[in-house]
């Protein structure tokens, strides 16, 4: 197993799957544990943007729920975020049920008001990598709707909630001005 994959699995098990009081007692990723148990997660590590493009283009040819594309060759955070936003917009316009979500070590969750989503003791400090999660948009939005009802997002700053939930929902509905 690649060290980055091992680190991500550890992060998931020891942080993403652990209940958090600030998330109404739910884990940061309430669906991660089941995805691992169902063997619905695959990795693409150090394959460059070409590898990410390949994963996006072949995503619907497989039965997994998520591709974790990870790169130790750090791409500028703004560039990667903008690239993924562009792909998400294009997918929405094309009516494709797919979404790319960026995780980058240069993103400061504490500055964004998400300090409760940070646990620096879980991951390997010797590894530095960025990630993009490739997944279907409709189940992601359906899950967000369910989590909204549970109070999951109540401690999220409004602008983060809008970016994570409402903007994604607008993409799902083809850019309509719909937020519910």
């Amino acid at each position: 197993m690649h060290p980055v994959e091992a680190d991500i699995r550890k992060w998931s098990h020891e942080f993403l799957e652990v209940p958090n009081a600030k998330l109404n007692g739910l884990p940061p990723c309430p669906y991660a544990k089941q995805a691992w148990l169902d063997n619905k997660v695959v990795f693409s590590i150090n394959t460059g943007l070409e590898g990410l493009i390949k994963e996006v283009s072949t995503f619907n040819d497989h039965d997994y729920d998520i591709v974790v594309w990870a790169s130790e060759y750090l791409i500028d955070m703004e560039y990667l975020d903008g690239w993924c936003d562009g792909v998400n917009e294009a997918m929405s316009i094309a009516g494709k049920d797919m979404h790319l979500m960026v995780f980058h070590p240069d993103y400061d969750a504490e500055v964004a008001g998400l300090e409760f989503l940070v646990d620096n003791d879980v991951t390997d400090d010797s590894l530095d990598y960025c990630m993009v999660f490739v997944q279907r948009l409709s189940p992601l939005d359906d899950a967000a709707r369910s989590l909204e009802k549970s109070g999951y997002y109540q401690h999220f700053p409004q602008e983060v909630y809008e970016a994570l939930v409402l903007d994604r929902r607008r993409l799902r509905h083809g850019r309509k001005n719909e937020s519910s």
Side-chain angles (χ1 to χ4, degrees), residues 15 33 35 43 57 66 76 91 123 138 141-142 145 155 160:
F15 180 70
K33 184 176 183 176
F43 287 85
S57 66
I66 188 166
D76 178 75
M91 292 290 178
T123 56
S138 57
D141 183 45
D142 290 346
R145 286 180 184 276
H155 293 288
V160 174

Side-chain angles (χ1 to χ4, degrees), residues 84-143:
C84 289
D85 283 349
V87 170
N88 287 335
E89 290 284 341
M91 292 290 178
S92 174
I93 291 166
K96 303 283 184 182
D97 189 19
M98 189 178 308
H99 188 73
L100 308 183
M101 185 183 312
V102 177
F103 292 86
H104 200 286
D106 291 342
Y107 178 77
D108 193 332
E110 292 177 10
V111 169
L114 299 171
E115 62 282 342
F116 57 93
L117 292 179
V118 177
D119 188 343
N120 294 325
D121 297 329
V122 172
T123 56
D124 184 342
D125 289 342
S126 69
L127 292 171
D128 206 18
Y129 56 91
C130 55
M131 297 181 287
V132 175
F133 288 6
V134 181
Q135 53 200 324
R136 293 192 202 309
L137 179 57
S138 57
L140 194 60
D141 183 45
D142 290 346

